[in-house]
Amino acid sequence: MAELRWRAEEIANGKGVLVDDHHEVISPRDMRQSLHELRVHQIELEMQNEELNRVQAELDTARARYFDLYDLAPVGYFVVSTEGLIVEANFTAVALLGVPRASLVKQPITRFIHKEDQDTYYLQRKRFLETGKPYACDLRMVKADGSVFWAHLAATSARDSFSGHGQEDEQAPVDRVVVSDITERKAAEALKAKLEEQLQQVEKLKTVGLLAGGVAHDFNNLLTVILGNANLALMVAGPEARLAPYFEAIEKASLKAADLTQQLLSYAGNEKIIPRQVDINVVVNEILQIISASVPGNVRIDCDLGEGLPSVVGDSTKIFQILMNLVMNALEAIPEGGEGVINVLTRSEAIVEATTRSGLSVLPMAPGRYVTVEVMDTGLGMTPEVAERAFDPFFSTKFAGRGLGLAAVIGILSSHGGGICVRSEPGSGASFKIFLPAMA
């Protein structure tokens, strides 16, 4: 103010003042002084007005900047009272929840938190109120339309001129809560966990496969010696010899053991395959013709074979073994005496991101075009624990399993560059879907 007074004095002295000579009550000197004072005050008021206008413009600019920083921030901001009521929210928070700003005020923030996650929020806020230390947590929030999204909440304590009762309360304690939408991050984390689980499963199968392949080769060499000597002994002794039945028993046992080693080699993916062009629909029809006579009357098999499917390159015998294994498992999954249906579907599918498919993907597939065969049954289904172990060697939920079963399927598919996906729930049957690379 003193500076304004001094500047006004300078301006007034520079402009000069007119004095009326008819005033005789006040001396000319006093008159000139009075007019000078009035002029100075006038100039001072004008300068103050200019200063106020400048400050007002700065305030308007600051408010606009605050609007950009607060209301248009990429995260949601809430001011929450000690009672847990929303006092203020920015535009981003309004957009996140899909609720008008006026409808948010005085609403409990827990109204927009998923019921299953409210305990997490209450626990964090209880510690916050007790210690005053900032907290952060991940939880699900619910929009006005009922849709759910994952959010990261971070809160700090502060004092504000707002109270939870809609009245001004100087320096009332409040929570400043920052809300970020982390739905995509959570989806990425879930995908990463699924990929890691699949990688562990593949590594486990690979490790066991290497062990099985090594044992099978060594055992096969021993069986060759045993079987060869048994044959020679039978030839020397003759079929009528007293020891002949024992040599024949050795031969039969050796052949069964050789079959077991073939299963081990199949599981390990070390079998030699004879690649040729294979029509999947032809293989499926052959299997259905073979088992048609042995299918119980309470079970119906429905086929939906895709037309114009591309061929696959592989060993038709091994592919036959895979499909026969899956169909027989589906038959055995249906309770004895109960009604059941088995569906066999063949299709051609372009896989873009096979590892994100629903279900247990035991052998993830690289992107590309595949011929698929899906075998579905209406049997008892499997628990997640059983489904995860279904491809383990010699694992079976039956009283007496038969060899490697589905484990051999893994080895054969692996050697063909294929994959398999399993879906099942207890009481809802099961679905086994194999993928074989299609010919270009």
Side-chain angles (χ1 to χ4, degrees):
M1 297 296 292
E3 182 182 356
L4 288 175
R5 173 73 183 190
W6 177 80
R7 291 171 59 191
E9 287 275 8
E10 289 291 323
I11 295 172
N13 289 331
K15 292 184 176 181
V17 181
L18 296 176
V19 180
D20 189 353
D21 293 335
H22 295 286
H23 291 82
E24 297 178 354
V25 179
I26 302 175
S27 66
R29 180 178 179 182
D30 292 339
M31 177 67 72
R32 285 193 297 271
Q33 183 64 32
S34 297
L35 290 174
H36 176 76
E37 290 291 335
L38 290 172
R39 182 59 179 167
V40 168
H41 283 303
Q42 179 185 358
I43 295 171
E44 186 177 4
L45 289 172
E46 290 174 354
M47 296 176 68
Q48 288 179 357
N49 188 51
E50 291 177 359
E51 182 68 15
L52 289 174
N53 289 336
R54 184 184 65 80
V55 172
Q56 182 64 44
E58 291 180 354
L59 286 175
D60 292 341
T61 302
R63 287 195 188 96
R65 187 179 297 113
Y66 170 80
F67 174 84
D68 291 340
L69 293 176
Y70 179 76
D71 266 338
L72 302 180
V75 294
Y77 288 119
F78 291 96
V79 176
V80 181
S81 69
T82 53
E83 292 84 2
L85 302 178
I86 298 173
V87 177
E88 188 179 359
N90 70 344
F91 282 170
T92 306
V94 169
L96 279 175
L97 298 179
V99 179
R101 179 178 286 185
S103 300
L104 277 178
V105 176
K106 297 183 182 180
Q107 291 292 331
I109 192 170
T110 51
R111 175 186 171 186
F112 304 100
I113 296 177
H114 196 280
K115 290 183 179 180
E116 295 180 3
D117 294 341
Q118 288 188 4
D119 288 345
T120 300
Y121 173 77
Y122 284 129
L123 177 61
Q124 293 288 345
R125 194 160 192 272
K126 180 175 180 293
R127 293 174 180 171
F128 174 68
L129 294 175
E130 291 173 351
T131 65
K133 295 181 179 180
Y135 73 88
C137 60
D138 295 345
L139 44 75
R140 288 165 294 178
M141 299 192 75
V142 183
K143 297 185 179 184
D145 60 5
S147 59
V148 178
F149 69 96
W150 275 99
H152 176 77
L153 269 65
T156 57
S157 60
R159 289 188 172 274
D160 208 316
S161 59
F162 295 99
S163 73
H165 305 289
Q167 301 172 346
E168 288 199 356
D169 182 9
E170 186 177 355
Q171 299 300 303
V174 294
D175 303 350
R176 296 190 186 276
V177 184
V178 180
V179 180
S180 306
D181 188 342
I182 58 170
T183 304
E184 291 184 1
R185 192 190 83 188
K186 283 291 184 179
E189 290 175 354
L191 176 58
K192 180 182 176 183
K194 183 177 180 181
L195 292 175
E196 289 176 348
E197 181 183 353
Q198 291 175 349
L199 180 60
Q200 291 175 359
Q201 179 73 4
V202 170
E203 289 295 330
K204 182 183 75 172
L205 294 173
K206 183 178 179 181
T207 300
V208 177
L210 289 173
L211 176 62
V215 171
H217 280 296
D218 292 341
F219 192 49
N220 214 29
N221 292 335
L222 294 174
L223 285 176
T224 301
V225 176
I226 294 171
L227 187 58
N229 282 283
N231 285 331
L232 289 174
L234 184 59
M235 290 172 61
V236 172
E240 303 298 329
R242 182 172 60 88
L243 296 177
Y246 299 103
F247 294 134
E248 291 174 353
I250 293 174
E251 284 185 346
K252 290 179 180 179
S254 297
L255 290 173
K256 289 182 179 180
D259 182 62
L260 177 58
T261 61
Q262 284 301 114
Q263 292 187 50
L264 285 170
L265 288 171
S266 295
Y267 174 71
N270 291 338
E271 276 189 304
K272 292 182 179 180
I273 64 172
I274 305 173
R276 57 171 59 93
Q277 189 171 321
V278 180
D279 187 331
I280 287 295
N281 285 346
V282 172
V283 178
V284 171
N285 284 324
E286 288 178 357
I287 291 173
L288 296 180
Q289 289 176 3
I290 292 173
I291 67 170
S292 60
S294 59
V295 175
N298 60 309
V299 178
R300 187 181 80 250
I301 298 181
D302 293 337
C303 265
D304 183 2
L305 306 183
E307 297 181 357
L309 298 182
S311 299
V312 300
V313 175
D315 191 320
S316 59
T317 303
K318 300 304 177 186
I319 295 175
F320 181 94
Q321 181 182 343
I322 292 174
L323 299 180
M324 177 64 82
N325 201 318
L326 295 181
V327 173
M328 294 306 297
N329 275 343
L331 281 171
E332 294 174 357
I334 297 174
E336 187 176 353
E339 297 292 329
V341 179
I342 296 174
N343 290 287
V344 181
L345 294 83
T346 61
R347 293 289 185 271
S348 174
E349 296 185 20
I351 305 301
V352 179
E353 295 181 1
T355 52
T356 64
R357 299 178 66 86
S358 60
L360 175 64
S361 184
V362 181
L363 283 177
M365 291 73 67
R369 180 159 292 279
Y370 292 82
V371 174
T372 66
V373 183
E374 186 171 11
V375 180
M376 298 178 289
D377 65 72
T378 58
L380 298 175
M382 298 180 289
T383 63
E385 295 75 19
V386 171
E388 288 180 0
R389 296 195 59 196
F391 296 92
D392 289 352
F394 301 104
F395 174 78
S396 177
T397 57
K398 308 178 187 70
F399 178 74
R402 296 193 309 274
L404 288 169
L406 291 174
V409 171
I410 290 293
I412 297 172
L413 285 173
S414 178
S415 64
H416 282 74
I420 186 168
C421 185
V422 182
R423 294 193 308 271
S424 181
E425 291 183 5
S428 300
S431 166
F432 289 81
K433 189 173 186 178
I434 67 168
F435 296 75
L436 292 167
M439 290 184 64

